[in-house]
Amino acid sequence: MVFISVIIPFNKGKIYLNECLRSLKNQKMENNEIILILNGVEENIEDLINTYSETLPLNIKIFNEEIGVAKARNEGLKIANGKYIYFLDSDDFLYKGTLDNLGKIAKSDENLEMIAGKRISSWYNYDSFHKLFDENRLKEYEKKISDENFPISLIIPNGGGINNISSLNVLIKKEFIIKNEISFDENLRHNSDFSFIIPLIKSSSNITGIKSAFYIKRRRDDPYIPSLNQENKDEKFLRYMESYNHLLNYMGEEKSLKVLVDKKMIKYYFKTFSPKIRRSPEDKWRNEYFEKMSDISKNFDEKSMKWYQKREINALRKKDLKSLKKYLYLRLIFKKLRRFIKHPRIGLIYRNIYMSIFNKMTLNNNMIMFESFRGQFYNDNPKYIYEYLYNHYKNDFKFIWVINNKNNKKEILGSPKTVKRFSLKYYYYMALSKYWVINLRQPLRLRKREDQVILSTWHGTPLKKLGLDIDTIHSADPKIKHHYVTNASQWKYLVSPNKYSTDIFRRVFAYDGEVLEYGYPRNDILYEKNPEIINTIKKKLKLPFNKKIILYAPTWRDDEYYESGQYKFNLKLNLEKLKNNIDNEYIILIRTHYFIADKLDLKDFENFAFNVSYHDDIGELYLISDILITDYSSVFFDFANLKRPILFYTYDLEKYSSSLRGFYIDMKKDLPGPLLFTTEEIIEAIANIDKITNEFKKQYNEFYNRFCYLDDGNASEKISKKVFDL
């Protein structure tokens, strides 16, 4: 006999379904079944189904059209053979042992009608979650589960809004469902759980909960595989109000449930709705939405309100917007003051000044802010756009550079105004500048004003998958996809070095703005006609003039980090062997990625190996180098403009391409140089560099014509004339 029927509706999101089914492999599925309702599926998931059919008890029902979650679950109920029913969304996954622990409780007491577990909302994927959330971390979650109204608090948790009321992670006796003739309302596309779980709670006399069953509810903001919650975002408030009214209907006269739900609605008002009254540029939050919220508030149970909330709620009920704004202002001031007292941070004060004062000052239409790699360097595309503007239009603009290290100031042409990132001056000039020129994502704490223009130059031709194309996040920041989309939506222009990059950028950033496909400004230096510039750069770096130069520029690995923002790097190139074999003819410059926190120790390789990681302008390093050695860094796309030899040291190719980021081009066919896996192979390639150059001549020319055809030394001029109306 089947003990548990797991019902999974699926419409889209193969990458999420894979992790969902994978998590079921780590449950004891003996005597259980998985009912997969495929409805309106357009992706090819045959390989996925075949793979998991070998190890999981899959029972598949197919509908050609999308039938919605409610109907899909009802269809699953019709064919379920299990004594108990368990619903699982295809974009979520289970922590190890979750289903087993729920089943043990059901077997220990056959009178139980419902057994509920804990739901955890997380941005992390399956691997990262299980790596970071160990047993001790999960015990912290167990402690946070309130014993008051337990287990109802697991189904209607104290945290979050009414969307958190769900039938997920609840083991339900099928006989109990049939007896009470309960099903999901198929007329509801959103929050159909209410129509099922609330009547069940009202009908049940025997519910329990456990603190050792964890359901991971995936948080995501994916424009290509949107969740139900992402649909019609402009109408999200109206949908929320409609859902609350549905809840009232399902609860009927059940006072205890209404108090729990009203607490959520009151929390929604204070945390989500009321700030929009004060800050949103859209008047609907102070007009029709305010009217609707006022009408809803009249239904709030008095027991659901705390004493200090009643004054503001009463103003809301009376539709007294003037008084409400006053209470709201005082509350927000008190909240900020309390937060500062508890966690005193000068940056918090600066940001509040920025939001409330600086962002209300008049924009300076001739002021331009430049920032490269979060203010760490004076380099890359922003540098060359700035230098073009300074050399040709310095009297027409006021230039501001974000520079964190005062030692970098002396490198900046013309000595413009400089500010440290997140200083008070930084916020001041960010608020007043008409233009922002950046090569990374702008900080989410900044609020772009309506008339401000963000020029995103980005910082490389994509080789590794990024943004929304990263199926599996191994980064220290699991919210990175969400940040990509949020940032890109504010860009006015995006610079692209070629059509290949344009196509990728539009997809991975969900960007529909104007793309400036003019080549990269940072490559303008590679077409510099003055031969003396090479000697000037070598002299500045204190390099010998009598030897050829090899530049080694490896990338960082997403899975090598201490914590968010602190990445590791292990040098895999054997410098001792390299020195013993090529020291007579070459020196080597080592340039690591700016993410990497570790400093190279090269004291044993004096006059042979030079750490140039902190030399701001890598374009200058390209110009003086005879050979480039790299791996998965995009540097070779730029270096190829020089038509000089490139060697690829890809010692971890299999791991990098399969389990980390993956590539956009075929590493074995499309590269303008050989793939090498050991230091010995690197040494041999250097010794036979002329032979390798001839061997890869055809691939190099094809690569150049595909990726470098736009670079001509004039990208800075073209972009500047377009963006700044010159």
Side-chain angles (χ1 to χ4, degrees):
M1 178 182 177
V2 176
F3 188 65
I4 300 175
S5 294
V6 180
I7 299 175
I8 308 173
F10 176 72
N11 168 250
K12 57 189 172 185
K14 179 179 178 180
I15 60 172
Y16 301 114
L17 178 62
N18 179 43
E19 295 200 338
C20 175
L21 295 176
R22 185 179 166 198
S23 74
L24 287 171
K25 280 185 66 176
N26 290 325
Q27 313 291 318
K28 294 177 182 177
M29 294 304 296
E30 185 179 353
N31 297 326
N32 296 340
E33 68 173 351
I34 300 169
I35 299 174
L36 186 58
I37 307 296
L38 305 179
N39 61 107
V41 178
E42 296 181 356
E43 297 169 272
N44 184 356
I45 62 169
E46 185 177 351
D47 57 334
L48 197 67
I49 298 299
N50 290 338
T51 298
Y52 284 105
S53 292
E54 296 176 2
T55 54
L56 290 174
L58 289 180
N59 179 7
I60 299 172
K61 187 166 184 177
I62 301 174
F63 293 87
N64 293 328
E65 71 284 357
E66 182 185 353
I67 60 176
V69 173
K71 184 173 175 57
R73 287 175 174 172
N74 286 338
E75 292 294 331
L77 280 169
K78 291 177 185 178
I79 61 174
N81 298 307
K83 185 175 181 179
Y84 291 89
I85 303 296
Y86 186 84
F87 297 104
L88 175 59
D89 281 352
S90 62
D91 53 355
D92 300 335
F93 57 87
L94 304 183
Y95 186 70
K96 56 186 179 183
T98 290
L99 205 59
D100 311 330
N101 292 335
L102 289 167
K104 285 177 185 177
I105 300 299
K107 289 175 182 177
S108 68
D109 184 353
E110 292 199 354
N111 292 319
L112 287 171
E113 295 162 335
M114 300 169 67
I115 305 113
K118 171 70 176 175
R119 295 189 302 272
I120 299 175
S121 181
S122 176
W123 290 94
Y124 287 103
N125 65 14
Y126 180 87
D127 287 323
S128 297
F129 186 91
H130 281 78
K131 180 179 178 181
L132 296 172
F133 285 71
D134 56 17
E135 298 297 335
N136 291 330
R137 185 82 176 270
L138 290 167
K139 283 179 181 177
E140 293 177 14
Y141 274 94
E142 291 180 17
K143 292 177 183 177
K144 292 177 182 178
I145 298 173
S146 172
D147 290 329
E148 184 182 359
N149 296 318
F150 185 79
I152 300 300
S153 63
L154 294 171
I155 302 173
I156 308 178
N158 295 326
I162 60 174
N163 290 332
N164 278 9
I165 301 172
S166 174
S167 57
L168 299 173
N169 209 24
V170 184
L171 195 63
I172 311 164
K173 187 177 283 188
K174 184 181 179 184
E175 180 183 71
F176 172 61
I177 299 172
I178 295 172
K179 176 184 175 182
N180 289 281
E181 299 180 339
I182 295 172
S183 62
F184 292 88
D185 186 343
E186 296 177 9
N187 294 315
L188 300 179
R189 180 166 177 79
H190 302 94
N191 292 326
S192 60
D193 286 66
F194 301 165
S195 64
F196 186 81
I197 199 66
I198 298 299
L200 280 178
I201 294 173
K202 289 172 61 179
S203 302
S204 178
S205 59
N206 207 341
I207 305 177
T208 191
I210 60 172
K211 297 184 178 182
S212 57
F214 296 100
Y215 181 107
I216 316 307
K217 186 69 183 169
R218 282 284 288 268
R219 298 181 66 188
R220 56 191 182 90
D221 193 353
D222 191 332
Y224 295 110
I225 313 175
S227 63
L228 274 177
N229 198 42
Q230 288 178 252
E231 293 183 353
N232 301 320
K233 283 191 172 183
D234 291 341
E235 302 300 322
K236 197 169 183 178
F237 167 77
L238 297 178
R239 195 165 71 226
Y240 203 79
M241 295 300 104
E242 182 182 38
S243 294
Y244 174 70
N245 286 324
H246 284 310
L247 267 174
L248 292 182
N249 291 332
Y250 295 125
M251 287 184 297
E253 301 299 320
E254 186 62 53
K255 285 284 186 181
S256 60
L257 291 181
K258 187 173 188 306
V259 169
L260 293 176
V261 170
D262 283 347
K263 283 183 178 179
K264 286 180 170 293
M265 285 300 295
I266 289 170
K267 186 178 292 185
Y268 170 79
Y269 164 75
F270 281 100
K271 293 190 71 173
T272 304
F273 185 87
S274 62
K276 292 185 180 294
I277 293 177
R278 178 172 169 78
R279 297 174 184 161
S280 177
E282 299 179 273
D283 287 335
K284 62 185 179 182
W285 293 96
R286 291 169 288 275
N287 295 319
E288 61 261 38
Y289 284 6
F290 176 73
E291 294 275 338
K292 288 183 180 295
M293 192 72 225
S294 175
D295 292 338
I296 287 286
S297 69
K298 293 171 185 176
N299 294 317
F300 292 163
D301 193 293
E302 293 298 320
K303 292 180 181 179
S304 61
M305 285 183 271
K306 297 177 181 178
W307 65 268
Y308 54 84
Q309 296 173 330
K310 291 185 176 181
R311 184 173 60 178
E312 192 169 331
I313 292 294
N314 285 334
L316 176 64
R317 286 172 164 174
K318 295 175 182 177
K319 300 184 181 180
D320 185 352
L321 185 58
K322 183 177 180 181
S323 297
L324 186 140
K325 283 184 176 180
K326 180 180 69 174
Y327 298 142
L328 171 60
Y329 177 75
L330 292 173
R331 175 164 58 84
L332 293 177
I333 291 295
F334 177 74
K335 181 180 178 181
K336 291 174 182 179
L337 183 61
R338 185 176 62 180
R339 187 191 304 167
F340 181 73
I341 292 172
K342 190 174 181 180
H343 302 289
R345 290 184 299 167
I346 194 68
L348 195 61
I349 294 178
Y350 289 169
R351 187 174 184 275
N352 287 331
I353 294 173
Y354 161 74
M355 295 292 291
S356 58
I357 300 176
F358 295 163
N359 252 5
K360 295 179 180 178
M361 298 171 71
T362 303
L363 272 179
N364 185 329
N365 290 326
N366 298 316
M367 185 179 289
I368 309 174
M369 287 287 292
F370 293 89
E371 180 178 306
S372 181
F373 298 115
R374 301 186 177 96
Q376 297 301 314
F377 306 105
Y378 169 64
N379 68 355
D380 206 69
N381 294 316
K383 170 187 175 179
Y384 286 92
I385 292 173
Y386 162 73
E387 292 194 349
Y388 172 81
L389 289 171
Y390 181 83
N391 287 327
H392 296 84
Y393 302 95
K394 63 183 176 183
N395 295 324
D396 297 331
F397 295 99
K398 182 176 178 62
F399 304 112
I400 317 293
W401 262 94
V402 180
I403 296 291
N404 299 332
N405 188 340
K406 62 182 180 181
N407 293 327
N408 291 341
K409 295 180 182 180
K410 59 188 177 184
E411 300 290 332
I412 305 178
L413 178 70
S415 301
K417 181 76 177 177
T418 61
V419 297
K420 189 174 182 179
R421 201 169 191 245
F422 300 139
S423 65
L424 187 60
K425 287 183 178 179
Y426 167 86
Y427 283 114
Y428 173 78
Y429 286 111
M430 276 295 193
L432 267 64
S433 296
K434 170 70 176 288
Y435 302 97
W436 300 352
V437 181
I438 58 175
N439 68 347
L440 280 177
R441 292 175 285 118
Q442 68 273 22
L444 293 177
R445 69 186 71 178
L446 294 180
R447 179 168 294 178
K448 173 188 169 296
R449 300 166 71 177
E450 186 177 356
D451 293 331
Q452 287 182 315
V453 173
I454 299 180
L455 167 61
S456 172
T457 70
W458 204 239
H459 55 271
T461 299
L463 167 65
K464 303 180 293 289
K465 289 187 177 180
L466 73 155
L468 302 180
D469 278 351
I470 304 177
D471 292 346
T472 306
I473 296 291
H474 285 269
S475 170
D477 183 0
K479 298 182 182 179
I480 194 167
K481 282 191 177 184
H482 172 75
H483 294 170
Y484 273 123
V485 175
T486 303
N487 287 142
S489 66
Q490 299 179 10
W491 300 342
K492 176 69 179 292
Y493 302 105
L494 173 61
V495 174
S496 172
N498 43 57
K499 187 177 187 304
Y500 158 89
S501 297
T502 299
D503 294 340
I504 293 174
F505 286 161
R506 285 204 177 280
R507 183 176 68 252
V508 301
F509 299 139
Y511 178 73
D512 59 2
E514 187 169 355
V515 175
L516 305 182
E517 201 175 278
Y518 296 153
Y520 267 153
R522 69 185 188 188
N523 290 337
D524 288 352
I525 190 176
L526 304 182
Y527 293 85
E528 175 63 52
K529 300 297 190 293
N530 183 2
E532 279 303 310
I533 190 172
I534 293 178
N535 290 335
T536 301
I537 297 168
K538 286 183 177 181
K539 185 176 180 180
K540 181 167 60 174
L541 293 171
K542 300 179 181 178
L543 302 177
F545 283 73
N546 61 340
K547 290 188 178 181
K548 295 178 183 178
I549 295 176
I550 298 170
L551 174 62
Y552 178 41
T555 192
W556 57 287
R557 271 71 174 160
D558 301 52
D559 63 341
E560 294 183 353
Y561 59 87
Y562 299 116
E563 58 186 37
S564 183
Q566 294 294 312
Y567 291 86
K568 301 178 182 177
F569 176 69
N570 297 312
L571 188 66
K572 301 293 185 180
L573 195 62
N574 191 320
L575 293 180
E576 186 174 354
K577 286 184 179 180
L578 210 61
K579 184 177 188 297
N580 292 337
N581 284 273
I582 67 171
D583 185 38
N584 290 333
E585 188 175 358
Y586 292 95
I587 61 171
I588 185 167
L589 311 182
I590 301 177
R591 178 63 144 69
T592 58
H593 196 284
Y594 72 97
F595 270 3
I596 295 162
D598 308 88
K599 292 184 179 180
L600 293 171
D601 182 5
L602 302 178
K603 61 178 181 295
D604 295 332
F605 305 98
E606 191 174 353
N607 297 323
F608 171 69
F610 298 81
N611 183 5
V612 293
S613 299
Y614 295 103
H615 182 73
D616 281 8
D617 195 340
I618 195 172
E620 294 182 349
L621 302 181
Y622 297 152
L623 204 58
I624 65 173
S625 297
D626 300 281
I627 300 172
L628 171 68
I629 301 175
T630 187
D631 45 20
Y632 322 113
S633 171
S634 64
V635 295
F636 65 87
F637 288 100
D638 297 332
F639 189 82
N641 281 279
L642 296 168
K643 297 187 177 181
R644 297 173 190 170
I646 305 173
L647 306 177
F648 294 88
Y649 184 35
T650 53
Y651 56 86
D652 58 351
L653 177 61
E654 192 65 30
K655 175 185 176 185
Y656 205 98
S657 59
S658 61
S659 63
L660 289 178
R661 292 274 287 277
F663 305 108
Y664 288 115
I665 66 175
D666 191 325
M667 291 289 287
K668 296 179 181 178
K669 295 180 181 179
D670 298 336
L671 296 183
L675 296 176
L676 307 171
F677 302 95
T678 66
T679 299
E680 288 76 12
E681 289 180 352
I682 291 286
I683 293 169
E684 184 179 354
I686 294 170
N688 297 281
I689 199 66
D690 291 338
K691 179 182 176 182
I692 286 177
T693 299
N694 289 328
E695 182 182 341
F696 282 86
K697 186 175 182 179
K698 181 175 182 293
Q699 291 98 312
Y700 208 127
N701 287 335
E702 290 175 352
F703 186 89
Y704 181 92
N705 291 332
R706 182 182 180 190
F707 298 107
C708 305
Y709 65 95
L710 288 175
D711 286 315
D712 59 4
N714 298 306
S716 299
E717 179 181 0
K718 295 173 186 175
I719 292 167
S720 296
K721 288 183 176 180
K722 171 67 177 180
V723 175
F724 306 107
D725 299 322
L726 302 177

